[in-house]
Amino acid sequence: MESPLSGIIPELLKHSKATQTVDFGPVAVQLLKCVQAIQDRKHLVIDIKPENFMFSGSGSTARGAGSAVTKLASRIRILDLALVQPWTSIGSHRSNDGTAGVVGTPLYASLNLHNGETPSRRDDLEALGYVIAELIMKLASGHASAELPWREGKSDEEIGKLKSDHVNNISSDFYKNLGGPSVVKIMKEYLDTVRAYPFKKTPDYDDLATLLSKLKVPHPKVHSSRKTPP
């Protein structure tokens, strides 16, 4: 492994310096594929967070046809599956018996887990949405320090309350920091879709990948030029 997942941000900006937008779709789709690979093996990642993905060395870049961004995205790997657990029980989907508290990293955990529900595939995908959103915030701002607005919460309960307030309010800073209306539309549809899944629902990975593939984030230089007085 070469660098943390956030290491892909300067690479994306470098390959998009001559454009108005950064094609983030391949990155989001690769992240989804990493999670799907675990779920296809009848397990949940549980602890979805940026630190559990890494950007591999350039020697592992996919060869053949494809854009520079697609090749960059192919270097994303998932690792540190310490909390992985099966979503099946004796051959069928396990039941929603609840948990004693948030499982995984509260900052990225699904709202269902904040409410004490048993983790399911939908919860991995919701958490992934928050990881993707945070990367988009860093990309759109051009600052590696950009982060989810509920990070200021001092407890699991406070983080959950702030997260719910932001995610359920289209006018919140969460959506305002995603770079623009086209990105907001896609991310809201993604989160609305996975959050609406019933507990035992098999995710439609293909549809989710098609949606995420459309993510094009305004280059931070566009924001800078808009803020410059005439």
Side-chain angles (χ1 to χ4, degrees), residues 46 83 85 94 96-107 109-120 123 155-157 160 163:
I46 301 295
L83 296 183
Q85 56 184 252
R94 65 181 180 179
N96 191 359
D97 296 324
T99 63
V102 176
V103 182
T105 303
L107 189 63
S110 75
L111 291 173
N112 288 324
L113 296 194
H114 279 286
N115 291 329
E117 296 193 43
T118 301
S120 185
D123 301 297
S155 66
D156 292 358
E157 292 74 18
K163 186 185 302 180

Side-chain angles (χ1 to χ4, degrees), residues 170 175 178-193 211-212 214-215:
I170 194 65
Y175 293 107
L178 291 179
S182 63
V183 179
V184 169
K185 181 179 179 182
I186 292 170
M187 289 307 301
K188 188 171 191 310
E189 183 176 346
Y190 173 87
L191 289 170
D192 286 350
T193 298
L211 178 63
L212 293 175
K214 300 174 183 177
L215 281 169

Side-chain angles (χ1 to χ4, degrees), residues 52-209:
N52 283 355
F53 297 92
M54 288 202 76
F55 190 43
S56 68
S58 57
S60 60
T61 299
R63 301 183 183 279
S67 69
V69 173
T70 299
K71 291 179 180 180
L72 280 171
S74 72
R75 292 163 56 186
I76 296 174
R77 304 286 185 268
I78 189 169
L79 66 161
D80 190 6
L81 304 176
L83 296 183
V84 68
Q85 56 184 252
W87 53 263
T88 59
S89 177
I90 317 178
S92 61
H93 199 294
R94 65 181 180 179
S95 59
N96 191 359
D97 296 324
T99 63
V102 176
V103 182
T105 303
L107 189 63
Y108 305 98
S110 75
L111 291 173
N112 288 324
L113 296 194
H114 279 286
N115 291 329
E117 296 193 43
T118 301
S120 185
R121 287 171 287 183
R122 63 183 181 181
D123 301 297
D124 271 359
L125 297 181
E126 182 181 341
L128 180 66
Y130 302 138
V131 170
I132 290 172
E134 188 171 68
L135 287 172
I136 290 173
M137 290 174 186
K138 295 178 186 298
L139 190 58
S141 67
H143 299 296
S145 60
E147 55 191 23
L148 296 169
W150 48 83
R151 184 179 288 273
E152 63 191 48
K154 299 299 189 293
S155 66
D156 292 358
E157 292 74 18
E158 187 177 358
I159 289 173
K161 175 62 167 59
L162 289 170
K163 186 185 302 180
S164 179
D165 290 345
H166 278 279
V167 173
N168 291 315
N169 179 7
I170 194 65
S171 298
S172 71
D173 286 343
F174 173 67
Y175 293 107
K176 287 179 181 177
N177 293 335
L178 291 179
S182 63
V183 179
V184 169
K185 181 179 179 182
I186 292 170
M187 289 307 301
K188 188 171 191 310
E189 183 176 346
Y190 173 87
L191 289 170
D192 286 350
T193 298
V194 298
R195 290 184 61 207
Y197 280 160
F199 179 72
K200 297 183 179 181
K201 166 76 174 178
T202 299
D204 192 329
Y205 301 104
D206 289 342
D207 277 0
L208 293 174

